[in-house]
Amino acid sequence: MAVSSTADRGRQGNFEDNVNAYFSHAATFCKRAPGLLEQIRVCNSVYAFSFPVRHADGSIEVVHAWRAEHSHHKLPTKGGIRYSPQVDESEVKALAALMTYKCALVDVPFGGAKGAVQIDPARYTVEQLERITRRYTHELDRKQFIGPGIDVPAPDYGTGEREMSWIADTYSQLHTGELEALACVTGKPVTEGGIYGRREATGRGLMFALAEACRSADDMRALGLSTGLEGKRLVVQGLGNVGYHAAKFCREQGAIIVALAEREGAIHNPKGLNEDEVFNFRKRTGSLLGFPGATDILRSADALELECDVLVPAALENVLTSENAARIKARIILEGANGPTTPEADAVFRKKSIMVIPDVFANAGGVTVSYFEWLKNLSHVRLGRMDRRRQAATELRMLQAIEVATGKPFTEAERQKFVKVTDELAIVNSGLEDTMIVAYQDIREALRTEPKMGDLRTAAFKRAIDKVAVVYEELGIFP
Ligand code: NAD
């Protein structure tokens, strides 16, 4: 299996070391005092705790959990909650650090954080998962590790809207009358204060990131590829929230999904796969193997080495390592997961001139739309509610003025195209697209200015470090 088992970690160095290695390399391009760089790198606080869970037979199991707040240079801190049997404190710290750099890159005014419970959700009933989630929230609350202005969790591997809803409810129960209580967590269902577009935001953001990278004729020529997403052959690992939506939005823009990889194996069809059909087939049969018209790949990780243009690892960390890097045939690696590439593999990709669009930027769509959700919760109003009709009326008046000036009326179809009552989803997607484009150009420009950095990841880390450094310098040191 390609997941980061303990054995893998031993071989490839641990995830936290990998993030620190990327940081240290980029820091050599930042003209900052060593002490300041160290303050940016270290994790500010970690809360580690354990609590019991009762099973149906009366037995008691102790589960371990964490919340790491990597940087308090901006508050609240922000980051997902992971439910995984393999997770440990070091992994949580690595993920929290990535959140700090990610938020800085996309100008989301939060420090980085991450949380985890060391469980395999598949082994528990829904009722047990609810109790675990509520107890976890209560523990965070007791130590002031959650709150709209303190630390705001979100979904990550193994959690989703359901868990976020339980967190919001638990926090609200503990803070009766707190007007902004719903802003204590993002990624909630829309009916519980969530925002349209959050569920699919990370995958949509990945598509925007790839589209922007593929817009540059020079960069694509250097990779031997044409511009645009049309016809690009993608291999996607992980058919969860991030992988499914990345596949969907890229396919809708004309890309061809030639392979999909999950825990049990992978399937390959050079003519293209529809992620929705595969998802439903897997739900029905319990496996994606045997999907009509596709070839089965029994060792899931082998799919990473297939002939393709873009490889999208969207499951877990440490899947592209020194062991398989030389056999990767993709020309672009779009990191949906956090930490899928080890520094050893990264060096191989640099040598092979493979473009790596790094996690720290590529999967920032989730936190970007989480930020929009947090703003919505604080303002207590749906985006666009106050002025969307007014805007549509302005557009209509402009159209009518053009009709009078030209003496030519627009057709009904033209009217509908130009005069739109914008809904929340359209506003969210527009903000997300703009964020991803601006951040990509910022990183690309940094690399253009200093080509010695060699790759987009180093440029992204350098930009993030510089942005956090400025804030620390302006803040000074307390006391
Ligand atoms: P998820 O739980 O929804 O999906 C993960 C999928 O990966 C599951 O379907 C799982 O079966 C599959 N998987 C596990 N091991 C695998 C293996 N060895 N090979 C192939 N597939 C495997 O999780 P997610 O939210 O999609 O998160 C995936 C990654 O994206 C994580 O690294 C997470 O940190 C990162 N991420 C998530 C978000 C978000 O908004 N959810 C945002 C940014 C980054």
Side-chain angles (χ1 to χ4, degrees), residues 3 82 156-158 198 202 240-242 262-263 314-315 336-338 363:
V3 281
R82 175 171 288 199
D156 190 69
Y157 186 90
R198 171 60 185 92
T202 309
N241 180 312
V242 177
E262 256 294 340
R263 295 167 193 264
N338 284 308
N363 67 32

Side-chain angles (χ1 to χ4, degrees), residues 265-401:
I267 50 170
H268 182 214
N269 184 349
K271 290 199 191 114
L273 294 160
N274 178 301
E275 71 296 328
D276 215 29
E277 290 170 11
V278 176
F279 183 85
N280 288 328
F281 177 85
R282 184 170 185 250
K283 210 166 146 191
R284 211 172 53 245
T285 65
S287 168
L288 44 60
L289 295 173
F291 183 76
T295 311
D296 286 347
I297 297 172
L298 297 181
R299 219 183 76 90
S300 178
D302 287 351
L304 302 171
E305 300 169 23
L306 287 168
E307 190 71 49
C308 66
D309 301 315
V310 185
L311 173 61
V312 190
L316 278 176
E317 57 268 15
N318 290 358
V319 293
L320 299 170
T321 66
S322 56
E323 196 276 316
N324 61 3
R327 298 193 299 275
I328 300 300
K329 298 183 191 66
R331 298 303 295 142
I332 300 175
I333 295 170
L334 177 67
E335 294 187 336
N338 284 308
T341 309
T342 65
E344 296 79 8
D346 216 36
V348 175
F349 298 151
R350 209 164 26 248
K351 218 181 258 166
K352 289 174 73 178
S353 299
I354 294 174
M355 174 191 262
V356 179
I357 308 179
D359 51 4
V360 72
F361 155 69
N363 67 32
V367 74
T368 301
V369 177
S370 272
Y371 170 45
F372 301 160
E373 180 177 332
W374 182 76
L375 291 173
K376 175 184 178 179
N377 294 151
L378 296 184
S379 64
H380 300 271
V381 64
R382 190 178 65 235
L383 268 60
R385 180 167 179 179
M386 304 296 275
D387 70 346
R388 64 196 201 117
R389 300 269 161 198
R390 192 183 54 79
Q391 269 188 14
T394 308
E395 284 160 8
L396 185 60
R397 274 200 302 278
M398 275 171 62
L399 230 59
Q400 286 165 342

